[in-house]
Amino acid sequence: MKYKKIGDILILDKNHQSLDYDELAGVHNVKTIMEIDHIQGTKREPVYRILYGDDTETINKENGCLFKLDLAKVMWSKGNNNERLRIAKLVSDGERVLDMFAGIGYFSIPIGVHSNASQVISIEINPNSYQFLCENIKLNKLDNITPILGDCREVTPKYSADRIIMGYVKTTHHYLGVAIDSLNEGGILHYHETVPEKLMETRPIERIVSEANGRDVELLKINKIKKYAPGVEHVVVDARIY
């Protein structure tokens, strides 16, 4: 049986067999057991089924950060926890960071907790995620994060940043142009993509270069996050744009 525990909620793989949920809840010390079929739409909303209990709101602790969320309303990817901390530790003192597709603060909160960024601009289109983003800023007692409810395509061009995070994997390349245009000279882009293994070393960076409008692009790293599907990897490209 595959499962993940988020706060005091247990998420089971959708292919699990019939189980004694009372016993399972006791073994894992959880109040609710859910099955999440998939995440849908640009607002990244879960399609789910509750198997035990009824409370889908919880607080998850990760990398010294607190994340309040409702798993019936917003997504949580447990497999990205190392990447969230990696990015936070890359941020230099005084940087201005723009977090596109910020969600509940997956990247913004660790940056606020573990770095000395001057400002983190966090853009999120889902009102439910935005609500929890605001709550998580308060929960972690942070004062350098500016949450914005809106479409990244419309909001991003209003700002400039030293580092931009594109932590979304579906159709993310359609936003590369506005991201790069808002990146200061010598700034760093963290671009997420799901890509066939055989194209992993070429397609993501080629997409960045094609949207750079003649600006020089330096590939810093291609970081594998996890397997997304058979033969498909979730990767993050770190690139410096001049």
Side-chain angles (χ1 to χ4, degrees), residues 86-87 90 189-190 218-221 236-240:
R86 181 183 81 91
I87 295 299
L90 289 175
L189 182 73
H190 301 286
E218 178 189 359
L219 174 61
L220 302 175
K221 185 176 184 180
V236 180
V237 177
D238 300 349
R240 189 181 298 276

Side-chain angles (χ1 to χ4, degrees), residues 23-90:
E23 180 181 354
L24 197 61
V27 168
H28 292 281
N29 191 29
V30 296
K31 62 182 179 183
T32 303
I33 300 175
M34 300 174 66
E35 173 189 290
I36 296 180
D37 186 81
H38 63 280
I39 305 297
Q40 65 179 6
T42 57
K43 294 184 179 179
R44 296 173 288 175
E45 297 170 313
V47 175
Y48 67 95
R49 185 162 64 105
I50 295 177
L51 305 171
Y52 174 89
D54 56 14
D55 188 357
T56 55
E57 190 170 287
T58 190
I59 294 178
N60 189 55
K61 186 173 183 180
E62 177 188 278
N63 296 323
C65 306
L66 299 174
F67 295 91
K68 186 176 182 182
L69 70 160
D70 188 331
L71 287 162
K73 296 178 179 178
V74 304
M75 62 165 281
W76 179 267
S77 181
K78 201 169 180 70
N80 294 356
N81 62 336
N82 290 334
E83 178 65 12
R84 291 190 274 264
L85 185 59
R86 181 183 81 91
I87 295 299
K89 290 186 173 181
L90 289 175

Side-chain angles (χ1 to χ4, degrees), residues 83-114:
E83 178 65 12
R84 291 190 274 264
L85 185 59
R86 181 183 81 91
I87 295 299
K89 290 186 173 181
L90 289 175
V91 176
S92 299
D93 292 355
E95 277 191 5
R96 192 185 204 199
V97 180
L98 195 151
D99 184 9
M100 301 171 70
F101 322 104
I104 64 170
Y106 312 106
F107 289 96
S108 295
I109 297 300
I111 291 170
V113 170
H114 295 291

Side-chain angles (χ1 to χ4, degrees), residues 90-144:
L90 289 175
V91 176
S92 299
D93 292 355
E95 277 191 5
R96 192 185 204 199
V97 180
L98 195 151
D99 184 9
M100 301 171 70
F101 322 104
I104 64 170
Y106 312 106
F107 289 96
S108 295
I109 297 300
I111 291 170
V113 170
H114 295 291
S115 82
N116 291 312
S118 64
Q119 185 184 22
V120 182
I121 301 156
S122 307
I123 308 168
E124 175 53 41
I125 197 171
N126 183 332
N128 289 317
S129 296
Y130 174 78
Q131 173 197 332
F132 285 110
L133 170 62
C134 294
E135 288 193 43
N136 289 330
I137 292 168
K138 294 177 182 176
L139 190 61
N140 290 276
K141 300 177 181 178
L142 300 171
D143 59 7
N144 61 345

